[in-house]
């Protein structure tokens, strides 16, 4: 029984760390965007990367909610 509780906790900690890492990446990309022209290819690439990271954040949040509901 304790093993079943411990595994989701570890998984939640991993998800929290991933979420924090992604947020830091988004902040770095946002800083990069400030230096680029809106019409440049680099601006579009960085914007697309930010969107992909935000989608990943949503997936992590959804996974944590599913796990939380499963444990309830």
């Amino acid at each position: 029984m304790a093993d079943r509780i411990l595994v989701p906790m570890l998984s939640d900690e991993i998800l929290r760390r991933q979420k924090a890492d992604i947020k830091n990446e988004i902040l770095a990309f946002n800083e990069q965007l400030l230096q680029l022209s809106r019409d440049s290819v680099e601006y579009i690439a960085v914007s697309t990367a930010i969107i992909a990271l935000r989608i990943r954040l949503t997936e992590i949040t959804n996974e944590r909610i599913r796990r939380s509901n499963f444990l309830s």
Side-chain angles (χ1 to χ4, degrees):
M1 175 92 173
D3 290 341
R4 278 190 266 154
I5 294 171
L6 185 60
V7 171
M9 289 175 146
L10 291 175
S11 298
D12 271 354
E13 181 60 30
I14 291 168
L15 291 175
R16 268 193 285 277
R17 287 184 196 157
Q18 285 179 347
K19 200 169 179 178
D21 290 344
I22 290 171
K23 286 181 179 180
N24 288 332
E25 285 183 68
I26 290 172
L27 288 174
F29 279 135
N30 281 335
E31 287 295 319
Q32 203 175 354
L33 276 181
L34 294 174
Q35 307 301 319
L36 299 172
S37 166
R38 288 183 182 258
D39 298 333
S40 71
V41 172
E42 292 88 2
Y43 185 93
I44 295 167
V46 172
S47 297
T48 303
I50 290 171
I51 291 167
L53 289 170
R54 287 185 176 152
I55 290 169
R56 181 64 187 130
L57 276 178
T58 301
E59 290 170 346
I60 290 171
T61 301
N62 290 344
E63 178 63 22
R64 290 185 69 202
I65 290 169
R66 273 193 293 277
R67 289 177 187 198
S68 174
N69 289 341
F70 178 74
L71 293 174
S72 300

